[in-house]
Amino acid sequence: MKELNEARKTYEDTPIPEALGFRVQEGIRQGRARYRARRSRVIRRWSAAAACFCLVLAGLNLSPTVAQAAAQVPVLGGLFRVLTFVEYDRTEDGIHYDVSAPQVEAEGDLAEKVNAAIQEKLDVHLVKAQQDWDSYRDAFFATGGTEEEWNGREMDVTVDYEIKSQSEDRVSFIVTFAEGWVASYEERYCYNLDLAENRDLTLRDLLGENWVEICNAAIEEQIAAGVDEDGFTYFFPAEEGGFTSVDESTAFYIQEDGTAVVCFPKYAIAAGAAGAPEFPIA
């Protein structure tokens, strides 16, 4: 365990060149604090979760009455609202859960589809987290770990969201699902919604018919700018799994000024020290 901890510390301390120009994800714990500080929303706690953790999964399928009571404060105006559907912060059996999940309230089936997708991801995330923790614990004791060594270990399970931009009929937000322990991972899902037209917004909508060429040129330019004076870069060559092109499945969000920001998962096109790269498409 000592070697593993030392290796992990070395990894986390790896410096990231300023020339990258991208936001690099901090540790899961730091991220959780950052998200809370960044949120200016007024939210109510889901008090049912505090009674017994076995209610958590059941509580994710709240009745309309409970859901309404748990989300009285609208975040946005216009044709829709984004509400905190379920929120709790507690520790159970070595797992620290910090969960804040959104729900879109609007006419039409788009909001229903988005809410169902978030709900499904939330359910899967919590079940997977418990399975991961149980597997790690079993492996720890199977390889000679003791109760004394085990005590004090904790796994962070985080679900949070951030609204990137909003108008009377459009909203762009990200929902983040993360685990932080011996190993860690983070998944981010971008939602860009036009509630007036009841449809998802696309890069084509924002950039026009040549959106692929526009995105590729901007991303390649920013990757090139991330090469230091010694020729070092965290980004993989295209022939070794690096960036080649955007497509219909490429994730993005929209800033308040209307700029599209293309997002890639950690390790997708660069070494882990580069975090989860983001590329504004000017």
Side-chain angles (χ1 to χ4, degrees):
M1 294 298 296
K2 179 179 179 181
E3 291 79 2
L4 179 58
N5 289 334
E6 290 176 348
R8 184 182 181 187
K9 185 178 187 301
T10 299
Y11 165 76
E12 291 175 343
D13 290 343
T14 301
I16 300 173
E18 295 181 0
L20 280 176
F22 314 128
R23 296 187 312 172
V24 178
Q25 295 293 329
E26 297 178 356
I28 297 302
R29 289 183 184 275
Q30 294 173 331
R32 186 173 67 241
R34 183 192 63 207
Y35 295 142
R36 280 201 295 259
R38 197 162 48 199
R39 292 201 305 263
S40 58
R41 303 186 291 272
V42 178
I43 54 178
R44 290 188 177 184
R45 293 228 174 248
W46 183 38
S47 58
C52 179
F53 183 68
C54 67
L55 295 180
V56 170
L57 291 179
L60 300 180
N61 299 302
L62 296 173
S63 68
T65 301
V66 176
Q68 182 67 24
Q72 292 291 331
V73 182
V75 179
L76 310 177
L79 299 178
F80 62 94
R81 298 188 300 171
V82 177
L83 308 172
T84 301
F85 175 57
V86 59
E87 197 272 350
Y88 54 90
D89 187 344
R90 62 174 287 118
T91 299
E92 180 74 17
D93 191 26
I95 305 179
H96 179 210
Y97 297 87
D98 189 359
V99 176
S100 181
Q103 175 174 283
V104 181
E105 186 177 280
E107 297 293 331
D109 61 356
L110 177 60
E112 294 180 4
K113 291 177 181 178
V114 169
N115 293 338
I118 295 173
Q119 176 73 70
E120 180 179 5
K121 290 180 175 65
L122 180 55
D123 291 344
V124 169
H125 182 59
L126 294 181
V127 170
K128 179 183 182 299
Q130 185 66 60
Q131 292 173 341
D132 288 345
W133 189 239
D134 290 344
S135 296
Y136 171 56
R137 179 168 48 195
D138 291 345
F140 178 85
F141 289 117
T143 54
T146 67
E147 287 288 350
E148 182 179 1
E149 292 172 329
W150 177 258
N151 290 337
R153 281 172 167 73
E154 185 176 281
M155 175 185 188
D156 291 318
V157 176
T158 305
V159 180
D160 206 352
Y161 69 100
E162 180 187 2
I163 297 173
K164 292 294 189 177
S165 64
Q166 57 189 352
S167 66
E168 286 296 302
D169 53 10
R170 292 183 173 187
V171 62
S172 176
F173 63 93
I174 292 177
V175 184
T176 302
F177 300 85
E179 285 182 15
W181 47 307
V182 173
S184 63
Y185 86 94
E186 178 179 280
E187 293 182 347
R188 297 189 301 168
Y189 295 89
C190 299
Y191 297 91
N192 305 289
L193 312 179
D194 186 327
L195 280 305
E197 298 187 16
N198 195 43
R199 67 183 182 88
D200 294 307
L201 291 168
T202 67
L203 287 168
R204 184 188 301 273
D205 295 328
L206 301 176
L207 302 173
E209 292 300 317
N210 295 326
W211 65 274
V212 173
E213 292 79 6
I214 293 172
C215 286
N216 288 350
I219 293 170
E220 288 167 358
E221 180 180 357
Q222 292 175 64
I223 289 176
V227 180
D228 68 16
E229 59 185 12
D230 296 322
F232 174 80
T233 178
Y234 285 114
F235 290 92
F236 306 138
E239 63 273 15
E240 296 179 12
F243 175 74
T244 55
S245 178
V246 297
D247 57 33
E248 299 287 352
S249 66
T250 300
F252 73 97
Y253 63 83
I254 305 169
Q255 295 179 332
E256 287 289 356
D257 63 2
T259 300
V261 179
V262 171
C263 311
F264 292 92
K266 191 174 182 178
Y267 306 112
I269 63 171
E278 297 185 353
F279 302 89
I281 310 300

